[in-house]
Amino acid sequence: MPNADYPAVYLGRSLAPIYVQLSTIFRRLIENGEWPVARQMPTHERLAAQFGVNATTVRKAVAMLARDGLLKTYRRRGTFVVAKPARREWYDVPTSWAAALAAHKDLTVEPLDSARAGSRHVIRRLYWRGEEPLCLEIAHLDLKLKARLGARKLRLTPFPVLLDEKTVARADETVTFGIADRDTAAQLRIPLNAPIAIVHLTTLDRAGAVIFDSKSYFRGDCIRILERIKP
Amino acid sequence: MTTAPAKHAKARRKARPGGNGLSDGTPLYAQLIIHFRQQIATGHWVEGSNIPTLNRLAADYSVARATVRQALGFLEREGLIASRRGRGTQVVRRPKTDLWFSVPASWGPLDSSREQLASEILHFDPDGRLPDAPNHIRGALASGYGVVRRLVRRDGIPYLVGATYIDRRIVAELGEDEINKANGYQTVEQSRLFAGASAHQSITVGVADAELAYLLGITLSAPIVVVERWVLDAKGTLISYSEGKYRSDFVRVCRQLK
């Protein structure tokens, strides 16, 4: 009998193999604690009946999660949950200027390339957190700003530290979500199509001119926007 | 010895030899569909222009021509591309991703344009189990929670699967009918426990599992945006937790930094 939590899942419609689909559901049950760590998961037969698949399919789904170190099957005792999927440490996307100034203290900046594009200067930089690339930034700068900064600062100083706060009248941030294309995937060392968050920043001076405009492509599995919404 | 399990999982998911960046688990053509659709959505493949040839794409991604043909056939049936005999394959239109939903930065209903919304209750459980991860905000737990799961459509397109957990005291105060009728925020606001309450919100990114993919009509492992909200009453008890999973291509977050 289908679990009431899964009123509508029908595994025959997707292009992905049934056992892969099933493994994503098992993964969620482990993640949200429905199947607690150190406890036995329901029998393969019961799950096969619940999801309307055969026992081999359940076994293949279990094998996938066993390879990931989440499940372990013991002879005659059944399959047990041994661990939850590991989470990366969160990176909190700043939602205020003060937070933005502090956000980069644990990151290092690697300049990739830079070029002039019309009346702007374009730089591409990779922000690292420890051993792992966190985001690919493509920034467009006002030429006057570029001249004022000098080459070294331009290459290594993170946003918004590189801006003189007095010249910034307004800064806006828009976050959208998507998947990694080939370039982003290669730079961030994530699979093609992996989820990403795109943080678009626009900074205006007092005259209303754009002095700094950037798009940063973050790996999606660790970014978070956390805010107090009341009171 | 302790090693981070994440590292191992990552190592297994890394690109296959040949460097096309495609990963295991999902069929290659299914991954190419998602990738090619993205090429069209972002304008890398320009509307009205030809896409690269079959041979070129096969070589480029180190896959068989048949695999590319299978993926392109899918996009053709979707109406995004059209092949014209002897003249190549042209981009006809971009996928529809313009139903922007902007996540607000303050308490209130998550969607104000209620008239085009249709909400369907998937599930009500008067004694729900609070999921234990990932909890960013901790408070004392109530003695139990009623949970409502909903599927919300906008202009007929399913775009949100939400679960709202409500302190059983509120369920008792307002009655199950009320809980099922209103959205989670309205319900909590009506409770006497809401006076002096504080609330937090987190926005994170995930991937669609099979159920979510099915309900939202998206591909398995497609990105989703997860909006979670915690409401603590004046005594610090978690009186409501909600988790909304959105189709990521309809969602954005706008904040003024300065």
PDB file of all heavy atoms in Angstrom, chain A residues 5 8 24 28 32 67 84 97 168 171 173 175 182 193 225 227 229-230, chain B residues 12 31 60 132 149 197 199 201 203 209-211 214 253 255 257-258:
ATOM      1  N   ASP A   5       2.468   9.624   2.553  1.00  0.00           N
ATOM      2  CA  ASP A   5       3.378  10.715   2.241  1.00  0.00           C
ATOM      3  C   ASP A   5       3.665  10.807   0.749  1.00  0.00           C
ATOM      4  O   ASP A   5       4.166  11.799   0.261  1.00  0.00           O
ATOM      5  CB  ASP A   5       4.705  10.519   2.958  1.00  0.00           C
ATOM      6  CG  ASP A   5       4.719  11.247   4.282  1.00  0.00           C
ATOM      7  OD1 ASP A   5       3.954  12.208   4.443  1.00  0.00           O
ATOM      8  OD2 ASP A   5       5.504  10.854   5.124  1.00  0.00           O
ATOM      9  N   ALA A   8       1.374  10.611  -4.937  1.00  0.00           N
ATOM     10  CA  ALA A   8       1.255  10.736  -6.390  1.00  0.00           C
ATOM     11  C   ALA A   8       2.485  10.303  -7.148  1.00  0.00           C
ATOM     12  O   ALA A   8       2.557  10.485  -8.338  1.00  0.00           O
ATOM     13  CB  ALA A   8       0.935  12.183  -6.739  1.00  0.00           C
ATOM     14  N   THR A  24      16.600   8.303  -4.901  1.00  0.00           N
ATOM     15  CA  THR A  24      16.474   9.703  -4.461  1.00  0.00           C
ATOM     16  C   THR A  24      15.430   9.825  -3.352  1.00  0.00           C
ATOM     17  O   THR A  24      15.544  10.670  -2.474  1.00  0.00           O
ATOM     18  CB  THR A  24      16.091  10.656  -5.618  1.00  0.00           C
ATOM     19  OG1 THR A  24      14.784  10.328  -6.102  1.00  0.00           O
ATOM     20  CG2 THR A  24      17.104  10.579  -6.761  1.00  0.00           C
ATOM     21  N   ARG A  28      16.094  10.909   0.611  1.00  0.00           N
ATOM     22  CA  ARG A  28      15.360  11.939   1.353  1.00  0.00           C
ATOM     23  C   ARG A  28      14.852  11.403   2.685  1.00  0.00           C
ATOM     24  O   ARG A  28      14.864  12.099   3.691  1.00  0.00           O
ATOM     25  CB  ARG A  28      14.183  12.464   0.539  1.00  0.00           C
ATOM     26  CG  ARG A  28      13.498  13.610   1.266  1.00  0.00           C
ATOM     27  CD  ARG A  28      12.367  14.212   0.476  1.00  0.00           C
ATOM     28  NE  ARG A  28      11.173  13.405   0.564  1.00  0.00           N
ATOM     29  CZ  ARG A  28      10.068  13.644  -0.117  1.00  0.00           C
ATOM     30  NH1 ARG A  28      10.024  14.642  -0.958  1.00  0.00           N
ATOM     31  NH2 ARG A  28       9.024  12.896   0.031  1.00  0.00           N
ATOM     32  N   ASN A  32      15.812  13.308   6.089  1.00  0.00           N
ATOM     33  CA  ASN A  32      14.885  13.991   7.000  1.00  0.00           C
ATOM     34  C   ASN A  32      14.571  13.170   8.253  1.00  0.00           C
ATOM     35  O   ASN A  32      13.726  13.563   9.052  1.00  0.00           O
ATOM     36  CB  ASN A  32      13.623  14.457   6.275  1.00  0.00           C
ATOM     37  CG  ASN A  32      12.716  13.325   5.852  1.00  0.00           C
ATOM     38  OD1 ASN A  32      12.798  12.209   6.367  1.00  0.00           O
ATOM     39  ND2 ASN A  32      11.840  13.593   4.914  1.00  0.00           N
ATOM     40  N   ARG A  67      26.865   2.408  -1.706  1.00  0.00           N
ATOM     41  CA  ARG A  67      28.120   2.927  -2.258  1.00  0.00           C
ATOM     42  C   ARG A  67      28.431   4.314  -1.710  1.00  0.00           C
ATOM     43  O   ARG A  67      29.570   4.685  -1.547  1.00  0.00           O
ATOM     44  CB  ARG A  67      28.042   3.002  -3.791  1.00  0.00           C
ATOM     45  CG  ARG A  67      28.415   1.709  -4.498  1.00  0.00           C
ATOM     46  CD  ARG A  67      28.794   1.987  -5.949  1.00  0.00           C
ATOM     47  NE  ARG A  67      27.720   2.603  -6.721  1.00  0.00           N
ATOM     48  CZ  ARG A  67      26.712   1.935  -7.269  1.00  0.00           C
ATOM     49  NH1 ARG A  67      26.626   0.632  -7.138  1.00  0.00           N
ATOM     50  NH2 ARG A  67      25.770   2.556  -7.946  1.00  0.00           N
ATOM     51  N   LYS A  84      23.813   9.789   7.600  1.00  0.00           N
ATOM     52  CA  LYS A  84      23.078  10.739   6.769  1.00  0.00           C
ATOM     53  C   LYS A  84      24.018  11.281   5.707  1.00  0.00           C
ATOM     54  O   LYS A  84      25.226  11.312   5.924  1.00  0.00           O
ATOM     55  CB  LYS A  84      22.602  11.911   7.619  1.00  0.00           C
ATOM     56  CG  LYS A  84      21.471  11.559   8.531  1.00  0.00           C
ATOM     57  CD  LYS A  84      20.939  12.837   9.132  1.00  0.00           C
ATOM     58  CE  LYS A  84      19.726  12.523   9.967  1.00  0.00           C
ATOM     59  NZ  LYS A  84      18.743  13.560   9.899  1.00  0.00           N
ATOM     60  N   TRP A  97      25.135  45.460   3.442  1.00  0.00           N
ATOM     61  CA  TRP A  97      26.478  45.914   3.082  1.00  0.00           C
ATOM     62  C   TRP A  97      27.496  45.442   4.116  1.00  0.00           C
ATOM     63  O   TRP A  97      28.570  44.952   3.763  1.00  0.00           O
ATOM     64  CB  TRP A  97      26.488  47.448   2.963  1.00  0.00           C
ATOM     65  CG  TRP A  97      27.766  47.957   2.391  1.00  0.00           C
ATOM     66  CD1 TRP A  97      28.829  48.448   3.082  1.00  0.00           C
ATOM     67  CD2 TRP A  97      28.122  47.999   1.009  1.00  0.00           C
ATOM     68  NE1 TRP A  97      29.836  48.806   2.211  1.00  0.00           N
ATOM     69  CE2 TRP A  97      29.427  48.547   0.930  1.00  0.00           C
ATOM     70  CE3 TRP A  97      27.474  47.647  -0.174  1.00  0.00           C
ATOM     71  CZ2 TRP A  97      30.090  48.738  -0.269  1.00  0.00           C
ATOM     72  CZ3 TRP A  97      28.137  47.837  -1.381  1.00  0.00           C
ATOM     73  CH2 TRP A  97      29.426  48.377  -1.414  1.00  0.00           C
ATOM     74  N   VAL A 168      29.716  54.764  -3.094  1.00  0.00           N
ATOM     75  CA  VAL A 168      28.591  53.874  -3.404  1.00  0.00           C
ATOM     76  C   VAL A 168      27.296  54.430  -2.825  1.00  0.00           C
ATOM     77  O   VAL A 168      27.157  54.563  -1.607  1.00  0.00           O
ATOM     78  CB  VAL A 168      28.840  52.450  -2.852  1.00  0.00           C
ATOM     79  CG1 VAL A 168      27.636  51.563  -3.117  1.00  0.00           C
ATOM     80  CG2 VAL A 168      30.094  51.860  -3.462  1.00  0.00           C
ATOM     81  N   ALA A 171      23.444  49.707  -3.636  1.00  0.00           N
ATOM     82  CA  ALA A 171      23.882  48.402  -4.146  1.00  0.00           C
ATOM     83  C   ALA A 171      22.713  47.433  -4.060  1.00  0.00           C
ATOM     84  O   ALA A 171      22.053  47.339  -3.025  1.00  0.00           O
ATOM     85  CB  ALA A 171      25.069  47.887  -3.352  1.00  0.00           C
ATOM     86  N   GLU A 173      21.119  43.446  -5.027  1.00  0.00           N
ATOM     87  CA  GLU A 173      21.504  42.054  -5.235  1.00  0.00           C
ATOM     88  C   GLU A 173      20.280  41.276  -5.706  1.00  0.00           C
ATOM     89  O   GLU A 173      19.206  41.413  -5.124  1.00  0.00           O
ATOM     90  CB  GLU A 173      21.979  41.526  -3.879  1.00  0.00           C
ATOM     91  CG  GLU A 173      22.258  40.065  -3.772  1.00  0.00           C
ATOM     92  CD  GLU A 173      22.671  39.723  -2.341  1.00  0.00           C
ATOM     93  OE1 GLU A 173      21.789  39.622  -1.475  1.00  0.00           O
ATOM     94  OE2 GLU A 173      23.872  39.592  -2.099  1.00  0.00           O
ATOM     95  N   VAL A 175      19.276  37.287  -6.682  1.00  0.00           N
ATOM     96  CA  VAL A 175      19.756  35.911  -6.739  1.00  0.00           C
ATOM     97  C   VAL A 175      18.783  35.086  -7.572  1.00  0.00           C
ATOM     98  O   VAL A 175      17.571  35.116  -7.327  1.00  0.00           O
ATOM     99  CB  VAL A 175      19.875  35.293  -5.324  1.00  0.00           C
ATOM    100  CG1 VAL A 175      20.532  33.916  -5.391  1.00  0.00           C
ATOM    101  CG2 VAL A 175      20.653  36.209  -4.394  1.00  0.00           C
ATOM    102  N   ARG A 182      29.069  24.230 -19.130  1.00  0.00           N
ATOM    103  CA  ARG A 182      30.364  23.544 -19.148  1.00  0.00           C
ATOM    104  C   ARG A 182      31.468  24.357 -18.496  1.00  0.00           C
ATOM    105  O   ARG A 182      32.276  23.836 -17.747  1.00  0.00           O
ATOM    106  CB  ARG A 182      30.750  23.199 -20.586  1.00  0.00           C
ATOM    107  CG  ARG A 182      29.795  22.237 -21.201  1.00  0.00           C
ATOM    108  CD  ARG A 182      30.083  22.056 -22.653  1.00  0.00           C
ATOM    109  NE  ARG A 182      30.920  20.884 -22.892  1.00  0.00           N
ATOM    110  CZ  ARG A 182      31.453  20.605 -24.075  1.00  0.00           C
ATOM    111  NH1 ARG A 182      31.296  21.421 -25.087  1.00  0.00           N
ATOM    112  NH2 ARG A 182      32.143  19.521 -24.233  1.00  0.00           N
ATOM    113  N   ASN A 193      25.265  20.485 -15.308  1.00  0.00           N
ATOM    114  CA  ASN A 193      23.867  20.489 -14.856  1.00  0.00           C
ATOM    115  C   ASN A 193      23.692  20.516 -13.336  1.00  0.00           C
ATOM    116  O   ASN A 193      22.567  20.467 -12.850  1.00  0.00           O
ATOM    117  CB  ASN A 193      23.059  19.291 -15.381  1.00  0.00           C
ATOM    118  CG  ASN A 193      22.934  19.282 -16.899  1.00  0.00           C
ATOM    119  OD1 ASN A 193      23.047  20.313 -17.539  1.00  0.00           O
ATOM    120  ND2 ASN A 193      22.677  18.121 -17.465  1.00  0.00           N
ATOM    121  N   ILE A 225      20.627  31.773   2.218  1.00  0.00           N
ATOM    122  CA  ILE A 225      20.279  33.142   2.602  1.00  0.00           C
ATOM    123  C   ILE A 225      19.450  32.988   3.863  1.00  0.00           C
ATOM    124  O   ILE A 225      18.397  32.359   3.845  1.00  0.00           O
ATOM    125  CB  ILE A 225      19.454  33.847   1.500  1.00  0.00           C
ATOM    126  CG1 ILE A 225      20.268  33.950   0.214  1.00  0.00           C
ATOM    127  CG2 ILE A 225      19.007  35.241   1.971  1.00  0.00           C
ATOM    128  CD1 ILE A 225      19.459  34.346  -1.000  1.00  0.00           C
ATOM    129  N   GLU A 227      17.680  34.927   7.050  1.00  0.00           N
ATOM    130  CA  GLU A 227      17.287  36.263   7.506  1.00  0.00           C
ATOM    131  C   GLU A 227      16.198  36.194   8.548  1.00  0.00           C
ATOM    132  O   GLU A 227      15.407  35.268   8.571  1.00  0.00           O
ATOM    133  CB  GLU A 227      16.868  37.167   6.325  1.00  0.00           C
ATOM    134  CG  GLU A 227      16.286  36.421   5.181  1.00  0.00           C
ATOM    135  CD  GLU A 227      16.114  37.185   3.869  1.00  0.00           C
ATOM    136  OE1 GLU A 227      16.783  38.201   3.617  1.00  0.00           O
ATOM    137  OE2 GLU A 227      15.270  36.728   3.095  1.00  0.00           O
ATOM    138  N   ILE A 229      12.820  37.563   9.696  1.00  0.00           N
ATOM    139  CA  ILE A 229      11.735  38.213   8.957  1.00  0.00           C
ATOM    140  C   ILE A 229      10.655  38.793   9.869  1.00  0.00           C
ATOM    141  O   ILE A 229       9.749  39.463   9.418  1.00  0.00           O
ATOM    142  CB  ILE A 229      11.088  37.247   7.934  1.00  0.00           C
ATOM    143  CG1 ILE A 229      10.642  35.943   8.588  1.00  0.00           C
ATOM    144  CG2 ILE A 229      12.040  36.970   6.779  1.00  0.00           C
ATOM    145  CD1 ILE A 229       9.841  35.045   7.657  1.00  0.00           C
ATOM    146  N   LYS A 230      10.758  38.513  11.166  1.00  0.00           N
ATOM    147  CA  LYS A 230       9.825  39.086  12.116  1.00  0.00           C
ATOM    148  C   LYS A 230      10.441  38.993  13.489  1.00  0.00           C
ATOM    149  O   LYS A 230      10.988  37.938  13.798  1.00  0.00           O
ATOM    150  CB  LYS A 230       8.489  38.320  12.094  1.00  0.00           C
ATOM    151  CG  LYS A 230       7.395  38.958  12.944  1.00  0.00           C
ATOM    152  CD  LYS A 230       6.185  38.054  13.024  1.00  0.00           C
ATOM    153  CE  LYS A 230       5.111  38.656  13.879  1.00  0.00           C
ATOM    154  NZ  LYS A 230       5.470  38.856  15.279  1.00  0.00           N
TER     155      LYS A 230
ATOM    156  N   ARG B  12      33.251  10.223  -6.478  1.00  0.00           N
ATOM    157  CA  ARG B  12      32.520   9.306  -7.346  1.00  0.00           C
ATOM    158  C   ARG B  12      31.708  10.041  -8.394  1.00  0.00           C
ATOM    159  O   ARG B  12      31.402   9.496  -9.433  1.00  0.00           O
ATOM    160  CB  ARG B  12      31.596   8.421  -6.521  1.00  0.00           C
ATOM    161  CG  ARG B  12      32.250   7.112  -6.131  1.00  0.00           C
ATOM    162  CD  ARG B  12      31.224   6.202  -5.513  1.00  0.00           C
ATOM    163  NE  ARG B  12      30.629   6.819  -4.354  1.00  0.00           N
ATOM    164  CZ  ARG B  12      31.170   6.761  -3.149  1.00  0.00           C
ATOM    165  NH1 ARG B  12      32.287   6.126  -2.945  1.00  0.00           N
ATOM    166  NH2 ARG B  12      30.575   7.338  -2.133  1.00  0.00           N
ATOM    167  N   GLN B  31      20.714  13.833 -19.620  1.00  0.00           N
ATOM    168  CA  GLN B  31      21.564  14.946 -19.169  1.00  0.00           C
ATOM    169  C   GLN B  31      21.759  15.967 -20.283  1.00  0.00           C
ATOM    170  O   GLN B  31      21.796  17.170 -20.044  1.00  0.00           O
ATOM    171  CB  GLN B  31      22.918  14.420 -18.714  1.00  0.00           C
ATOM    172  CG  GLN B  31      22.843  13.551 -17.478  1.00  0.00           C
ATOM    173  CD  GLN B  31      24.213  13.094 -17.036  1.00  0.00           C
ATOM    174  OE1 GLN B  31      25.096  13.906 -16.779  1.00  0.00           O
ATOM    175  NE2 GLN B  31      24.414  11.798 -16.943  1.00  0.00           N
ATOM    176  N   ASP B  60      31.920  17.092 -29.644  1.00  0.00           N
ATOM    177  CA  ASP B  60      32.091  18.041 -28.559  1.00  0.00           C
ATOM    178  C   ASP B  60      31.856  17.424 -27.182  1.00  0.00           C
ATOM    179  O   ASP B  60      32.530  17.757 -26.216  1.00  0.00           O
ATOM    180  CB  ASP B  60      31.063  19.156 -28.765  1.00  0.00           C
ATOM    181  CG  ASP B  60      31.712  20.505 -28.724  1.00  0.00           C
ATOM    182  OD1 ASP B  60      32.926  20.551 -28.939  1.00  0.00           O
ATOM    183  OD2 ASP B  60      30.990  21.487 -28.484  1.00  0.00           O
ATOM    184  N   ASP B 132      14.046  16.241  10.687  1.00  0.00           N
ATOM    185  CA  ASP B 132      15.109  16.696  11.581  1.00  0.00           C
ATOM    186  C   ASP B 132      16.285  17.341  10.857  1.00  0.00           C
ATOM    187  O   ASP B 132      17.287  17.628  11.460  1.00  0.00           O
ATOM    188  CB  ASP B 132      15.576  15.584  12.507  1.00  0.00           C
ATOM    189  CG  ASP B 132      15.992  14.326  11.790  1.00  0.00           C
ATOM    190  OD1 ASP B 132      16.147  14.399  10.540  1.00  0.00           O
ATOM    191  OD2 ASP B 132      16.163  13.294  12.427  1.00  0.00           O
ATOM    192  N   ARG B 149       0.428  19.199   3.635  1.00  0.00           N
ATOM    193  CA  ARG B 149       1.265  19.290   2.428  1.00  0.00           C
ATOM    194  C   ARG B 149       0.393  19.730   1.272  1.00  0.00           C
ATOM    195  O   ARG B 149      -0.714  19.237   1.106  1.00  0.00           O
ATOM    196  CB  ARG B 149       1.916  17.940   2.097  1.00  0.00           C
ATOM    197  CG  ARG B 149       2.942  17.497   3.108  1.00  0.00           C
ATOM    198  CD  ARG B 149       3.593  16.197   2.668  1.00  0.00           C
ATOM    199  NE  ARG B 149       4.619  16.429   1.679  1.00  0.00           N
ATOM    200  CZ  ARG B 149       4.833  15.645   0.624  1.00  0.00           C
ATOM    201  NH1 ARG B 149       4.066  14.611   0.386  1.00  0.00           N
ATOM    202  NH2 ARG B 149       5.800  15.906  -0.206  1.00  0.00           N
ATOM    203  N   ALA B 197       5.651  36.720  18.659  1.00  0.00           N
ATOM    204  CA  ALA B 197       6.457  35.674  18.022  1.00  0.00           C
ATOM    205  C   ALA B 197       7.561  36.272  17.166  1.00  0.00           C
ATOM    206  O   ALA B 197       7.458  37.410  16.711  1.00  0.00           O
ATOM    207  CB  ALA B 197       5.554  34.781  17.174  1.00  0.00           C
ATOM    208  N   ALA B 199      10.266  35.305  13.764  1.00  0.00           N
ATOM    209  CA  ALA B 199      10.331  34.375  12.628  1.00  0.00           C
ATOM    210  C   ALA B 199      11.613  34.551  11.848  1.00  0.00           C
ATOM    211  O   ALA B 199      12.143  35.664  11.708  1.00  0.00           O
ATOM    212  CB  ALA B 199       9.126  34.575  11.718  1.00  0.00           C
ATOM    213  N   GLN B 201      13.799  32.986   8.220  1.00  0.00           N
ATOM    214  CA  GLN B 201      13.609  32.332   6.930  1.00  0.00           C
ATOM    215  C   GLN B 201      14.967  31.944   6.364  1.00  0.00           C
ATOM    216  O   GLN B 201      15.942  32.666   6.517  1.00  0.00           O
ATOM    217  CB  GLN B 201      12.891  33.339   6.036  1.00  0.00           C
ATOM    218  CG  GLN B 201      13.080  33.240   4.558  1.00  0.00           C
ATOM    219  CD  GLN B 201      12.233  34.300   3.846  1.00  0.00           C
ATOM    220  OE1 GLN B 201      11.019  34.315   3.939  1.00  0.00           O
ATOM    221  NE2 GLN B 201      12.888  35.211   3.163  1.00  0.00           N
ATOM    222  N   ILE B 203      16.778  30.423   2.671  1.00  0.00           N
ATOM    223  CA  ILE B 203      16.586  30.083   1.264  1.00  0.00           C
ATOM    224  C   ILE B 203      17.816  29.267   0.855  1.00  0.00           C
ATOM    225  O   ILE B 203      18.945  29.741   0.998  1.00  0.00           O
ATOM    226  CB  ILE B 203      16.471  31.356   0.399  1.00  0.00           C
ATOM    227  CG1 ILE B 203      15.329  32.242   0.918  1.00  0.00           C
ATOM    228  CG2 ILE B 203      16.263  31.002  -1.071  1.00  0.00           C
ATOM    229  CD1 ILE B 203      15.363  33.666   0.381  1.00  0.00           C
ATOM    230  N   ASP B 209      13.948  15.244  -5.929  1.00  0.00           N
ATOM    231  CA  ASP B 209      13.906  13.789  -5.863  1.00  0.00           C
ATOM    232  C   ASP B 209      12.744  13.333  -6.759  1.00  0.00           C
ATOM    233  O   ASP B 209      12.058  14.151  -7.378  1.00  0.00           O
ATOM    234  CB  ASP B 209      13.776  13.304  -4.416  1.00  0.00           C
ATOM    235  CG  ASP B 209      12.498  13.755  -3.741  1.00  0.00           C
ATOM    236  OD1 ASP B 209      11.480  13.969  -4.440  1.00  0.00           O
ATOM    237  OD2 ASP B 209      12.497  13.900  -2.511  1.00  0.00           O
ATOM    238  N   ALA B 210      12.539  12.032  -6.823  1.00  0.00           N
ATOM    239  CA  ALA B 210      11.576  11.498  -7.790  1.00  0.00           C
ATOM    240  C   ALA B 210      10.156  12.017  -7.542  1.00  0.00           C
ATOM    241  O   ALA B 210       9.424  12.321  -8.483  1.00  0.00           O
ATOM    242  CB  ALA B 210      11.604   9.972  -7.758  1.00  0.00           C
ATOM    243  N   GLU B 211       9.771  12.146  -6.276  1.00  0.00           N
ATOM    244  CA  GLU B 211       8.417  12.601  -6.003  1.00  0.00           C
ATOM    245  C   GLU B 211       8.220  14.057  -6.422  1.00  0.00           C
ATOM    246  O   GLU B 211       7.229  14.420  -7.056  1.00  0.00           O
ATOM    247  CB  GLU B 211       8.092  12.448  -4.515  1.00  0.00           C
ATOM    248  CG  GLU B 211       6.626  12.728  -4.254  1.00  0.00           C
ATOM    249  CD  GLU B 211       6.324  13.097  -2.822  1.00  0.00           C
ATOM    250  OE1 GLU B 211       7.261  13.466  -2.083  1.00  0.00           O
ATOM    251  OE2 GLU B 211       5.156  13.031  -2.429  1.00  0.00           O
ATOM    252  N   TYR B 214       8.098  14.443 -10.084  1.00  0.00           N
ATOM    253  CA  TYR B 214       6.800  14.023 -10.591  1.00  0.00           C
ATOM    254  C   TYR B 214       5.744  15.110 -10.347  1.00  0.00           C
ATOM    255  O   TYR B 214       5.016  15.500 -11.258  1.00  0.00           O
ATOM    256  CB  TYR B 214       6.381  12.713  -9.912  1.00  0.00           C
ATOM    257  CG  TYR B 214       4.998  12.298 -10.310  1.00  0.00           C
ATOM    258  CD1 TYR B 214       4.780  11.707 -11.554  1.00  0.00           C
ATOM    259  CD2 TYR B 214       3.905  12.543  -9.490  1.00  0.00           C
ATOM    260  CE1 TYR B 214       3.510  11.351 -11.957  1.00  0.00           C
ATOM    261  CE2 TYR B 214       2.629  12.191  -9.880  1.00  0.00           C
ATOM    262  CZ  TYR B 214       2.431  11.598 -11.120  1.00  0.00           C
ATOM    263  OH  TYR B 214       1.173  11.269 -11.519  1.00  0.00           O
ATOM    264  N   VAL B 253      15.451  36.118  -5.688  1.00  0.00           N
ATOM    265  CA  VAL B 253      15.528  36.809  -4.397  1.00  0.00           C
ATOM    266  C   VAL B 253      16.170  38.159  -4.666  1.00  0.00           C
ATOM    267  O   VAL B 253      17.254  38.228  -5.240  1.00  0.00           O
ATOM    268  CB  VAL B 253      16.407  36.012  -3.396  1.00  0.00           C
ATOM    269  CG1 VAL B 253      16.445  36.696  -2.049  1.00  0.00           C
ATOM    270  CG2 VAL B 253      15.933  34.575  -3.268  1.00  0.00           C
ATOM    271  N   ARG B 255      17.435  41.761  -2.931  1.00  0.00           N
ATOM    272  CA  ARG B 255      17.712  42.447  -1.675  1.00  0.00           C
ATOM    273  C   ARG B 255      18.517  43.710  -1.977  1.00  0.00           C
ATOM    274  O   ARG B 255      19.371  43.701  -2.854  1.00  0.00           O
ATOM    275  CB  ARG B 255      18.534  41.561  -0.734  1.00  0.00           C
ATOM    276  CG  ARG B 255      17.844  40.252  -0.325  1.00  0.00           C
ATOM    277  CD  ARG B 255      16.673  40.489   0.622  1.00  0.00           C
ATOM    278  NE  ARG B 255      16.032  39.244   1.002  1.00  0.00           N
ATOM    279  CZ  ARG B 255      14.927  38.752   0.412  1.00  0.00           C
ATOM    280  NH1 ARG B 255      14.346  39.401  -0.573  1.00  0.00           N
ATOM    281  NH2 ARG B 255      14.404  37.629   0.826  1.00  0.00           N
ATOM    282  N   LEU B 257      21.372  45.881  -0.758  1.00  0.00           N
ATOM    283  CA  LEU B 257      22.500  45.789   0.161  1.00  0.00           C
ATOM    284  C   LEU B 257      22.777  47.135   0.810  1.00  0.00           C
ATOM    285  O   LEU B 257      23.179  47.232   1.952  1.00  0.00           O
ATOM    286  CB  LEU B 257      23.763  45.352  -0.580  1.00  0.00           C
ATOM    287  CG  LEU B 257      23.866  43.896  -1.030  1.00  0.00           C
ATOM    288  CD1 LEU B 257      25.216  43.658  -1.692  1.00  0.00           C
ATOM    289  CD2 LEU B 257      23.686  42.944   0.131  1.00  0.00           C
ATOM    290  N   LYS B 258      22.597  48.181   0.003  1.00  0.00           N
ATOM    291  CA  LYS B 258      22.897  49.523   0.490  1.00  0.00           C
ATOM    292  C   LYS B 258      21.995  50.528  -0.195  1.00  0.00           C
ATOM    293  O   LYS B 258      21.684  50.334  -1.372  1.00  0.00           O
ATOM    294  CB  LYS B 258      24.362  49.858   0.194  1.00  0.00           C
ATOM    295  CG  LYS B 258      24.808  51.129   0.867  1.00  0.00           C
ATOM    296  CD  LYS B 258      26.285  51.393   0.684  1.00  0.00           C
ATOM    297  CE  LYS B 258      26.656  52.600   1.532  1.00  0.00           C
ATOM    298  NZ  LYS B 258      27.396  53.596   0.838  1.00  0.00           N
TER     299      LYS B 258
END
